[in-house]
Amino acid sequence: LAPPARPQLKVLLPAAGVAGSPAASGQAGELQPPESQPPESEPAATPSAPTPAPATTTASSIVPAGAGAGANSGAGANSGAGANSGAGAGGSGQAPGANTPAKLPTVKHVFVIMLSDQPYAAVFGPASSARYLSQTLEHRGTLLVRYDAVAHEELANELALLSGQGPTLETAANCPTYADIAPASSGADEQVLGSGCVYPAGTQTLPGELSAKHLRWRAYVQGIDEAAGQAPACGHPALGQADPSAAQAAGAGPYATFRNPFVYFQSLIDSPACAADDVGLDRLKSDLAAAKRTPSLSYLVPDRCHDGNPVPCTPGAAAGMVPADGYLKSVVPQIVSSQAYKDGGLLVITVDEAPSSGEFGDSSSCCGAPRYPNLAASAPAGLPARGGGTVGALLLSPLVNAAATSQEPYNHFSLLRTIEDLFAVKHLGYSALAAVKPLEASLFSARAKG
């Protein structure tokens, strides 16, 4: 049986060929608060019980931008068993299906730019104030209009993308005290159970998997290890200490530890690789100068003055998507002009979470989101046990279609699963759930054009 239909979303799609034209829902320039969206039905309570396999996705779910398909068009709304089912070692998460799914293309370099704390319509489409992103870049790539965050707040989503771990109470509060997770017992789906923020050394991560295959990763974190940086490479508080950068108030400064998820894994911070590969943005240019110097995974983190967060990083500073757009104007041309990108590279621009409260608060979820065990019993009032809202994602690559949108539901676990499949490594944590599918291979149909 197919999962229940998801409530309709209000999102603004770009019009075909004319950026900023009125969208199918809402007027151009109008940012509409999301409808109340309860999470999808819970998976079966027994951890080992398989989730029913969704229907097979077809290429009809990919349409030119503004071609009239609504944000919640029924075709393949909860479909896809897994686009590259034999690529990774974590086969337990693959859903069975009658048809053999198409394989993802060969991608040697993945770039992820992670913006922060904005709803879909503030980032993408005609209501966005980020004109370079919404008017220029959207017309060069494929927009995933039903791409969701998996939790609140920012740190919880960033950790999910690197490890498949669900939030703890502390990561869902951006880790005000930098402390180990304790007692750190093991739960279903490889989940680490306990309270705290820093995962034990045995927790598997995507960077660790890549390193084991002799593939390089690097985080380019604006505001560290640079001339004007606030922190050294791999910068984080001492264990057990309060982290003043976790405050969201104006004046917290450009660098926030919680925007740098790599430093929340003991396996990384205890390794020399952390200081070598968790570095400032100024390293990007030299790494892009030759494809052999470009990491397999590049994770780019704007500082809090440029990440789109609506709270100013310092009193009186500009905030929101306008300074974020300036960051993209500086960084994206460097990436797309590099040989690593031109030779089958993939750039993903997305957002860690939608706002958790306020007029545009959104806690919707997709893809069979689990009820997170570290939150289920003791989450404070108002903190959803799952769902981080619809944030959208833009795919840029020589392999993807330009000026297209996809109506398929995805989330951060889907992106993790896709990267795992591209590099043929194990599906970690919740990325192995049967309801979580990687990006459809049909999204990369531009490779057929040659």
Side-chain angles (χ1 to χ4, degrees), residues 17-39:
V18 183
S21 297
S25 63
Q27 298 299 316
E30 178 185 357
L31 182 61
Q32 299 184 356
E35 294 179 355
S36 176
Q37 298 173 38

Side-chain angles (χ1 to χ4, degrees), residues 26-365:
Q27 298 299 316
E30 178 185 357
L31 182 61
Q32 299 184 356
E35 294 179 355
S36 176
Q37 298 173 38
E40 293 181 351
S41 300
E42 287 186 44
T46 304
S48 59
T51 302
T56 302
T57 298
T58 67
S60 62
S61 63
I62 307 169
V63 297
N72 195 33
S73 91
N78 282 288
S79 61
N84 196 27
S85 67
S92 63
Q94 302 290 356
N99 299 322
T100 301
K103 292 182 68 174
L104 293 168
T106 298
V107 172
K108 300 175 184 176
H109 302 278
V110 175
F111 305 86
V112 177
I113 297 178
M114 186 63 72
L115 305 177
S116 183
D117 200 23
Q118 288 284 1
Y120 168 92
V123 180
F124 302 107
S128 173
S129 59
R131 311 315 287 172
Y132 173 68
L133 174 59
S134 62
Q135 292 192 358
T136 300
L137 296 182
E138 279 188 30
H139 288 275
R140 298 178 182 175
T142 295
L143 182 61
L144 310 181
V145 302
R146 294 182 60 192
Y147 183 102
D148 284 359
V150 298
H152 293 300
E153 296 282 322
E154 292 97 324
L155 177 60
N157 289 281
E158 296 153 8
L159 295 172
L161 181 56
L162 292 187
S163 66
Q165 292 291 322
T168 68
L169 283 172
E170 290 74 21
T171 64
N174 288 331
C175 195
T177 300
Y178 188 80
D180 285 329
I181 294 177
S185 59
S186 297
D189 301 309
E190 301 179 345
Q191 296 301 295
V192 176
L193 307 181
S195 299
C197 307
V198 182
Y199 284 83
T203 306
Q204 294 188 347
T205 66
L206 178 59
E209 289 190 302
L210 295 177
S211 296
K213 290 198 69 172
H214 305 289
L215 299 172
R216 289 183 57 220
W217 63 271
R218 180 162 272 185
Y220 301 91
V221 185
Q222 188 179 29
I224 66 171
D225 191 32
E226 298 170 295
Q230 296 174 276
C234 194
H236 57 81
L239 282 169
Q241 288 192 353
D243 183 1
S245 76
Q248 288 282 12
Y255 177 69
T257 314
F258 67 82
R259 289 280 291 143
N260 183 4
F262 297 82
V263 300
Y264 292 87
F265 296 99
Q266 287 283 7
S267 60
L268 299 182
I269 61 176
D270 291 344
S271 166
C274 191
D277 291 319
D278 191 73
V279 296
L281 182 62
D282 58 351
R283 304 285 189 93
L284 179 65
K285 183 177 180 179
S286 61
D287 286 351
L288 292 174
K292 65 181 180 180
R293 296 216 304 262
T294 306
S296 298
L297 174 65
S298 298
Y299 186 95
L300 286 83
V301 184
D303 66 25
R304 289 194 63 251
C305 300
H306 301 92
D307 65 2
N309 195 296
V311 178
C313 64
T314 57
M321 287 307 300
V322 171
D325 209 36
Y327 172 91
L328 296 174
K329 283 182 181 179
S330 172
V331 169
V332 172
Q334 296 182 55
I335 295 172
V336 300
S337 64
S338 70
Q339 188 58 41
Y341 174 87
K342 292 176 181 178
D343 185 18
L346 172 64
L347 168 60
V348 183
I349 303 173
T350 188
V351 182
D352 48 25
E353 64 144 1
S356 57
S357 60
E359 183 181 7
F360 302 108
D362 183 6
S363 296
S364 56
S365 65

Side-chain angles (χ1 to χ4, degrees), residues 83-94 103-104 209 213 416-428 438:
N84 196 27
S85 67
S92 63
Q94 302 290 356
K103 292 182 68 174
L104 293 168
E209 289 190 302
K213 290 198 69 172
L416 171 59
R417 184 164 177 148
T418 302
I419 299 171
E420 291 166 338
D421 285 352
L422 289 172
F423 296 118
V425 296
K426 180 180 179 287
H427 298 151
L428 299 178

